[in-house]
Structures are given as C-alpha cells and as structure tokens.
Amino acid sequence: MPKASEVKKNAAIEHNGRVVLIKDIERSVPQGRAGGSLYRMRMYDVVTGAKIDETFKDSDMLSAADFSRRAVMFSYTDGDEYIFMDNEDYTPYHLNKDTIEEQLQFINEETQGLMVLVIADVAATVEVPMTVELEITETAPALKGGSATARTKPATLTTGLVIQVPEHISTGDRIKINTEELKFVGRA
C-alpha cells in the first residue's frame, strides 16, 4: 500500500470501491499549516471513464489496484480507437484517443517497448518507455560546426511532436527523446 506521496502518474489504485487511473498529480504545500504536502489527483474510473478530483495528505495510504502489464505494439487506428496488439498472444487492445492523448505524441508503427495496463480484463492505458526513437520530418538546415554550440532549433517529428534539437541535427535523422521531459537525448 503506497503513500499518496509515492504514487506516480498513470498508476492504478482502488478508490471508493472503484479502480481508477491517476492522470495528473499536483503537489501543494499550504502556508502556515503544520503538516505535510497535499496531493491533488485527477483520476479516471477505468470502467466508466468518469473524472474524479481528490486531494490526499502525503501520509494517506492508498490501495494499489490489481492489474497486469502486457507488452504490445501499435497496430492501427479505427476512427478514434487505437488498436494495440499483444506481442505474445496477439490479443487486440482497443484504447480511445482521449484516454491516451498524451502518449500518442510518442507512438508510431515502429515504437518499441510499449506496455498496456490491463485492469479486470479491460485495457486502461498504454505506457511508453522512458526514451523513444523518432525521425525528424522537418527542421532548419544543419549548421556546420553546430555541435560546438549549445544553441537549439525546433524540429517536427513523425508523430507531430515539436521539440528543441541541437543545430547539427537535420531532417531525416532518427533521434532519441526523453518521454517524461520532452527533451532530445541523442541520435539513434
């Protein structure tokens, strides 16, 4: 049973008899109050999709939900549904675009290391690895000697994500991106 201060985004917990997925955590430290931090969490019910906002003290004990993670690969889209295929038994998992909107900026047909969080035989969300490799589709021309400076330029990737890259990187290069910080890590 983790404390509220130990829970991360995309974690599954049991709350008021329902399994919920934590989508956002906002930490605040009230002024003039003895005690710890407060954690305001935006959660979504896995079954109904209902949004729940709740505030917990840092010492509140939360109950982790019973779930499993399955290694998957992105297969195809069908309207607003994104279909992921299990790497072992080829089970298809259907996820709505709104549910995984934040993760979609890192996912294409070539993305490796994807995991689907399965709760009560229902796919709740997809988890992306810490770093992903994507190709640059558009950026300013590479500058000779650009690796000697720390200046950056915007680059558009195959998924539509725009990040800052060093000046010596050019269109068509495959690069690694840190998915938590949205930062360039290096060439792939």
Side-chain angles (χ1 to χ4, degrees):
M1 290 183 60
K3 291 182 180 178
S5 60
E6 298 168 347
V7 174
K8 304 275 189 236
K9 275 175 66 173
N10 292 324
I13 63 168
E14 289 183 24
H15 180 66
N16 293 338
R18 301 188 293 187
V19 176
V20 294
L21 198 63
I22 297 171
K23 281 295 188 181
D24 194 33
I25 301 173
E26 194 176 297
R27 180 178 177 255
S28 64
V29 182
Q31 295 294 323
R33 183 175 162 257
S37 303
L38 295 176
Y39 292 86
R40 182 171 172 78
M41 298 184 189
R42 173 156 287 168
M43 305 174 282
Y44 289 89
D45 188 308
V46 172
V47 178
T48 65
K51 180 173 67 170
I52 304 162
D53 288 328
E54 192 77 45
T55 303
F56 299 98
K57 294 178 188 169
D58 61 353
S59 59
D60 286 349
M61 298 300 279
L62 303 176
S63 177
D66 189 24
F67 64 90
S68 64
R69 283 187 171 84
R70 303 291 300 174
V72 295
M73 58 186 284
F74 172 65
S75 190
Y76 63 96
T77 59
D78 184 14
D80 281 349
E81 294 281 311
Y82 284 75
I83 291 80
F84 295 85
M85 197 69 68
D86 191 301
N87 290 349
E88 290 179 21
D89 62 10
Y90 305 110
T91 303
Y93 295 106
H94 298 257
L95 291 163
N96 190 296
K97 180 181 182 179
D98 298 335
T99 308
I100 58 171
E101 195 168 1
E102 192 175 303
Q103 293 93 322
L104 287 178
Q105 59 191 346
F106 306 111
I107 298 173
N108 64 18
E109 292 83 6
E110 301 167 5
T111 306
Q112 300 292 314
L114 298 173
M115 302 291 272
V116 164
L117 193 69
V118 180
I119 302 168
D121 295 329
V122 175
T125 189
V126 65
E127 297 176 345
V128 293
M130 187 70 102
T131 59
V132 294
E133 293 181 9
L134 293 171
E135 186 175 322
I136 296 176
T137 57
E138 184 181 331
T139 189
L143 292 178
K144 187 174 183 180
S147 61
T149 66
R151 292 189 313 218
T152 61
K153 61 183 178 181
T156 305
L157 305 172
T158 53
T159 60
L161 176 66
V162 177
I163 65 165
Q164 294 292 316
V165 298
E167 289 183 327
H168 67 278
I169 302 294
S170 59
T171 301
D173 287 353
R174 287 187 63 79
I175 60 170
K176 291 181 184 175
I177 300 115
N178 181 313
T179 57
E180 286 189 359
E181 299 174 359
L182 292 177
K183 289 191 176 178
F184 170 83
V185 176
R187 279 194 167 133

